[in-house]
Coordinates of all heavy atoms in Angstrom, one line a residue:
V254 N -5.0 -16.2 2.1 CA -3.8 -15.7 1.5 C -3.6 -16.3 0.1 O -2.6 -16.0 -0.6 CB -2.5 -16.2 2.3 CG1 -2.7 -15.7 3.8 CG2 -2.3 -17.7 2.4
G255 N -4.5 -17.2 -0.4 CA -4.3 -17.8 -1.7 C -4.6 -16.9 -2.9 O -4.9 -15.6 -2.6
S256 N -4.7 -17.5 -4.1 CA -4.9 -16.6 -5.2 C -6.4 -16.3 -5.2 O -7.3 -16.9 -4.4 CB -4.7 -17.5 -6.5 OG -5.5 -18.7 -6.4
K257 N -6.9 -15.3 -5.9 CA -8.2 -14.8 -6.1 C -8.9 -15.3 -7.2 O -8.5 -15.0 -8.4 CB -8.2 -13.2 -6.0 CG -7.5 -12.7 -4.8 CD -8.0 -13.1 -3.5 CE -7.2 -12.6 -2.2 NZ -7.6 -13.2 -1.0
Q258 N -9.8 -16.1 -7.2 CA -10.5 -16.8 -8.3 C -11.8 -16.2 -8.6 O -12.7 -15.9 -7.7 CB -10.7 -18.2 -7.9 CG -11.3 -19.1 -9.1 CD -11.5 -20.5 -8.6 OE1 -10.6 -21.1 -7.8 NE2 -12.3 -21.3 -9.4
T259 N -12.0 -15.9 -9.8 CA -13.3 -15.5 -10.4 C -13.7 -16.4 -11.5 O -13.0 -16.5 -12.6 CB -13.2 -14.0 -10.9 OG1 -12.8 -13.2 -9.9 CG2 -14.6 -13.5 -11.5
G260 N -14.8 -17.2 -11.3 CA -15.1 -18.1 -12.4 C -14.1 -19.2 -12.4 O -13.6 -19.7 -11.4
G261 N -13.6 -19.5 -13.5 CA -12.6 -20.4 -13.8 C -11.2 -19.7 -14.0 O -10.3 -20.4 -14.5
V262 N -11.0 -18.5 -13.6 CA -9.8 -17.9 -13.8 C -9.3 -17.4 -12.4 O -9.9 -16.8 -11.6 CB -9.9 -16.6 -14.7 CG1 -8.6 -15.9 -14.9 CG2 -10.4 -17.0 -16.1
A263 N -8.1 -17.7 -12.1 CA -7.4 -17.4 -10.7 C -6.4 -16.3 -11.0 O -5.3 -16.6 -11.8 CB -6.8 -18.6 -10.1
A264 N -6.3 -15.1 -10.4 CA -5.2 -14.2 -10.4 C -4.3 -14.6 -9.2 O -4.8 -14.6 -8.1 CB -5.7 -12.8 -10.4
I265 N -3.0 -14.6 -9.5 CA -2.0 -14.9 -8.5 C -1.2 -13.7 -8.1 O -0.4 -13.2 -8.9 CB -1.2 -16.0 -9.0 CG1 -2.0 -17.2 -9.6 CG2 -0.2 -16.6 -7.9 CD1 -1.2 -18.3 -10.2
A266 N -1.4 -13.2 -7.0 CA -0.4 -11.9 -6.5 C 0.9 -12.5 -6.3 O 1.2 -13.7 -6.0 CB -1.3 -11.3 -5.4
G267 N 1.8 -11.4 -6.2 CA 3.1 -11.8 -6.0 C 3.4 -12.4 -4.6 O 4.4 -12.9 -4.3
D268 N 2.6 -11.9 -3.6 CA 2.8 -12.3 -2.2 C 2.0 -13.5 -1.6 O 2.0 -13.8 -0.5 CB 2.6 -11.2 -1.3 CG 1.0 -10.7 -1.4 OD1 0.3 -11.2 -2.2 OD2 0.6 -9.9 -0.6
V269 N 1.5 -14.3 -2.7 CA 0.8 -15.5 -2.3 C 1.8 -16.5 -1.7 O 2.9 -16.5 -2.1 CB -0.1 -16.1 -3.4 CG1 -1.1 -15.2 -3.9 CG2 0.7 -16.7 -4.5
E270 N 1.3 -17.6 -1.1 CA 2.2 -18.6 -0.5 C 2.7 -19.4 -1.8 O 2.0 -19.9 -2.6 CB 1.4 -19.6 0.3 CG 2.2 -20.6 1.0 CD 3.0 -20.0 2.2 OE1 2.7 -18.9 2.5 OE2 3.9 -20.6 2.6
R271 N 4.1 -19.5 -1.9 CA 4.7 -20.1 -3.0 C 6.1 -20.7 -2.6 O 6.6 -20.2 -1.7 CB 4.7 -19.2 -4.1 CG 5.7 -18.0 -4.0 CD 5.4 -16.9 -5.0 NE 5.0 -17.3 -6.4 CZ 4.1 -16.5 -6.9 NH1 3.6 -15.4 -6.4 NH2 3.8 -16.8 -8.2

Side-chain angles (χ1 to χ4, degrees):
V254 306
S256 57
K257 305 304 180 186
Q258 181 175 340
T259 303
V262 181
I265 309 171
D268 61 350
V269 303
E270 189 74 14
R271 66 200 325 144

